[in-house]
Amino acid sequence: MTSKIPTITLNNGANTPSIGYGTWQALDEELERALETALEAGYRHIDTAYVYQNEKVIGKVLKRWISNGKLKREDIFLVTKLPPAGNRPEGVVKYLKRSLENLQVDYVDLYLIHAPFGLPDFEGDFPPKGNDGNVILDMSTDHIAIWKALEEQVDAGRTKAIGLSNFNKSQIERILKNSRIKPCALQIEQHVYLQQKELVDLCKENNILVTAYSPLGTPGMNKYFGKRGIKVDLPDILGNPAVKAIAKKHSKTEAQVLLHFYVQQGWLPIPKSVNPERIRQNLDIFDFQLDQQDVKELKSLDAGIRILDFGPFTGVDKHPEFPFKNEKQK
Ligand SMILES: NC(=O)c1ccc[n+]([C@@H]2O[C@H](COP(=O)([O-])OP(=O)(O)OC[C@H]3O[C@@H](n4cnc5c(N)ncnc54)[C@H](OP(=O)(O)O)[C@@H]3O)[C@@H](O)[C@H]2O)c1
């Protein structure tokens, strides 16, 4: 039985559980079964995105739980994201309406700009590619204009809060200077190997929640990208000797140690799993304490290793708003 999940109050006054359920790479019946297990286990923060192509499955499960009285809409903190193909003012209302329809809800709790670069509006597999294999880009992306359109969606009641994902420091600062409604959350790759102190500090100063994506180092990614002929060099965070030793010391799993550490740091992790045992395990992280030495060791693992640098999307780094231009290549 999972202990009670602590909540976090956001800068719009709303509350969210301090850990959520990620859904990237989960589809169809597999996700349907997994989400049933996740809701039974007690997850109440769900992360999806238009580009994950799984909003309809999530909508179907939520509808079932709401109509049979097991859940009320307000019990769930639902997050989805504007696709890069919608990164222009008119794209915001178009894609948010589509997501609401897919999810069978009147509003989402948080709507994020998925990535700072823009692609032309298109239907089909993400991302669109030219004959040269490079991703086709829309170079005219205007963050301030998109943000204003997002603010209008808060006014219209289609989302309770708005935020950013994969934005870098200067891109966030520009939004902060030019916004009527401040970003509520920043969703970034965040794990022991990539602790992003500068961004975390900026978020703390501005009362922006940090959501930690790929908190376990996304170990299943090559299975997913492999279908597209792509292989990514993945660091083995779960296999790190220090993480393993701390897990052994507390009789918990490596994933539980990491997730507990993130929550303790104030980052909201959104681990993805379709495995019933791991779904439950990832939520069962509140019945132990890390000591000062554990925390020190986990902090010292920071190595600036970014896994999801959009590398498989050849040419995307040519976009003026590509966020990781100033980082050294792996
Ligand atoms: N904003 C963005 O651009 C962005 C990018 C990436 C991810 N995200 C969000 O963040 C979520 C999480 O990130 P992620 O899916 O990349 O990676 P992750 O949560 O770090 O890792 C998921 C992988 O770890 C495995 N796993 C889960 N729990 C485990 C455990 N206790 N022990 C061992 N292995 C475990 C899963 O396999 P099984 O399913 O077989 O258990 C899956 O292969 C995504 O699902 C998505 O919602 C957002």
Side-chain angles (χ1 to χ4, degrees), residues 22-24 47 52 81 114 165-166 187 213-220 238 255 270-275 278 281-282 308:
T23 66
W24 180 40
D47 183 78
Y52 299 168
K81 310 182 192 97
H114 202 149
S165 181
N166 296 305
Q187 186 176 127
Y213 80 60
S214 303
L216 308 176
T218 193
L238 293 169
I270 43 171
K272 170 262 171 188
S273 179
V274 290
N275 173 292
R278 291 195 283 269
Q281 177 197 125
N282 292 346
L308 287 162

Side-chain angles (χ1 to χ4, degrees), residues 5-262:
I5 304 164
T7 56
I8 297 175
T9 302
L10 303 171
N11 70 15
N12 69 340
N15 290 320
T16 166
S18 51
I19 180 165
Y21 180 67
T23 66
W24 180 40
Q25 304 173 20
L27 293 166
D28 308 325
E29 290 81 20
E30 185 176 55
L31 174 59
E32 192 173 340
R33 281 192 300 275
L35 188 55
E36 284 283 342
T37 307
L39 290 170
E40 294 289 358
Y43 288 86
R44 291 294 179 267
H45 176 124
I46 300 167
D47 183 78
T48 181
Y50 185 82
V51 298
Y52 299 168
Q53 299 181 347
N54 61 15
E55 289 175 323
K56 282 189 180 163
V57 179
I58 294 169
K60 183 177 163 191
V61 175
L62 289 180
K63 176 94 179 176
R64 191 154 63 220
W65 274 61
I66 291 171
S67 44
N68 68 17
K70 279 163 89 176
L71 265 188
K72 294 202 260 320
R73 169 65 188 88
E74 57 270 30
D75 297 333
I76 289 288
F77 193 95
L78 189 54
V79 185
T80 194
K81 310 182 192 97
L82 175 69
N87 267 355
R88 55 193 73 72
E90 65 279 14
V92 171
V93 69
K94 169 179 163 179
Y95 281 98
L96 178 51
K97 278 186 172 172
R98 277 196 192 178
S99 287
L100 293 177
E101 207 178 300
N102 288 341
L103 292 162
Q104 302 192 53
V105 292
D106 300 330
Y107 69 90
V108 288
D109 296 278
L110 178 59
Y111 196 52
L112 304 173
I113 305 179
H114 202 149
F117 53 83
L119 306 178
D121 205 353
F122 74 104
E123 304 291 334
D125 206 19
F126 175 82
K129 286 189 175 170
N131 292 334
D132 58 1
N134 285 341
V135 173
I136 304 170
L137 302 168
D138 171 5
M139 300 295 198
S140 69
T141 310
D142 177 349
H143 288 168
I144 306 305
I146 297 168
W147 192 258
K148 284 199 188 331
L150 282 175
E151 291 175 330
E152 284 162 18
Q153 295 312 303
V154 178
D155 299 338
R158 293 192 188 96
T159 182
K160 301 275 183 204
I162 46 182
L164 305 168
S165 181
N166 296 305
F167 275 51
N168 67 26
K169 187 163 182 267
S170 61
Q171 290 169 328
I172 300 164
E173 285 170 335
R174 197 157 161 255
I175 298 277
L176 281 167
K177 276 198 202 98
N178 292 281
S179 53
R180 174 168 63 84
I181 302 175
K182 301 293 169 209
C184 207
L186 173 69
Q187 186 176 127
I188 43 177
E189 180 182 338
Q190 187 77 2
H191 44 70
V192 281
Y193 286 0
L194 186 67
Q195 300 190 28
Q196 314 213 64
K197 187 172 177 333
E198 245 197 334
L199 273 189
V200 168
D201 287 348
L202 177 70
C203 286
K204 229 178 242 166
E205 281 158 29
N206 291 284
N207 197 11
I208 299 170
L209 169 75
V210 172
T211 305
Y213 80 60
S214 303
L216 308 176
T218 193
M221 198 167 78
N222 277 328
K223 207 165 101 193
Y224 174 79
F225 274 130
K227 289 180 208 141
R228 300 166 175 219
I230 296 165
K231 189 170 179 298
V232 179
D233 200 9
L234 282 180
D236 182 11
I237 299 180
L238 293 169
N240 180 283
V243 178
K244 286 184 100 60
I246 296 169
K248 194 166 176 215
K249 180 168 127 187
H250 294 284
S251 305
K252 299 296 280 188
T253 67
E254 291 76 16
Q256 288 172 322
V257 162
L258 293 173
L259 296 169
H260 182 103
F261 171 69
Y262 303 145

